[in-house]
């Protein structure tokens, strides 16, 4: 993906959330059910246990003050690594040279 294509694909938070949702295995954080209401990616609801959570829950993005568009610009090629939590959050600032 070229930089201009990248910038067009991730112009706002909603586009970033949709991209992360496609990479992540979406299941309930409480009962692990895949039966979710995902009409709003900011607040998803488990249809089995009624738990609500964000698509960012369980990722390093969940408590960050940095916008998703900034995260994706900082590390476009490493997004899958970041979402899957295989990189410890403490090491991320060294990788992208920002602090959250």
């Amino acid at each position: 993906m070229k930089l201009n294509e990248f910038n067009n694909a991730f112009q706002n938070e909603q586009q970033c959330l949709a991209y992360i949702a496609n990479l992540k295995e979406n299941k309930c954080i409480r009962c692990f059910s895949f039966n979710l209401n995902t009409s709003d990616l900011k607040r998803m609801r488990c249809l089995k246990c009624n738990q609500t959570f964000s698509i960012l829950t369980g990722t390093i993005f969940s408590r960050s003050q940095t916008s998703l568009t900034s995260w994706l610009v900082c590390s476009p090629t490493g997004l899958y690594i970041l979402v899957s939590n295989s990189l410890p959050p403490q090491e991320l600032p060294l990788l992208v040279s920002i602090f959250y």
Side-chain angles (χ1 to χ4, degrees), residues 14-40:
Q14 194 63 29
Q15 289 174 318
C16 296
L17 283 171
Y19 184 73
I20 291 170
N22 286 331
L23 290 178
K24 219 180 141 190
E25 182 178 63
N26 293 322
K27 60 184 175 182
C28 178
I29 59 172
R30 180 187 288 164
C31 71
F32 306 108
S33 170
F34 291 98
N35 194 9
L36 305 174
N37 178 352
T38 59
S39 59
D40 178 14

Side-chain angles (χ1 to χ4, degrees), residues 16-72:
C16 296
L17 283 171
Y19 184 73
I20 291 170
N22 286 331
L23 290 178
K24 219 180 141 190
E25 182 178 63
N26 293 322
K27 60 184 175 182
C28 178
I29 59 172
R30 180 187 288 164
C31 71
F32 306 108
S33 170
F34 291 98
N35 194 9
L36 305 174
N37 178 352
T38 59
S39 59
D40 178 14
L41 291 177
K42 288 200 173 209
R43 279 326 284 165
M44 298 192 313
R45 179 178 301 277
C46 176
L47 299 175
K48 183 177 178 185
C49 73
N50 219 26
Q51 175 72 30
T52 62
F53 55 96
S54 164
I55 192 67
L56 301 178
T57 300
T59 71
I60 59 170
F61 306 123
S62 66
R63 297 183 187 250
S64 175
Q65 298 300 314
T66 304
S67 72
L68 287 177
T69 52
S70 296
W71 275 112
L72 298 185

Side-chain angles (χ1 to χ4, degrees), residues 89-100:
Q90 300 84 349
E91 293 180 19
L92 186 61
L94 301 174
L95 177 67
V96 297
S97 301
I98 63 169
F99 293 92
Y100 63 99

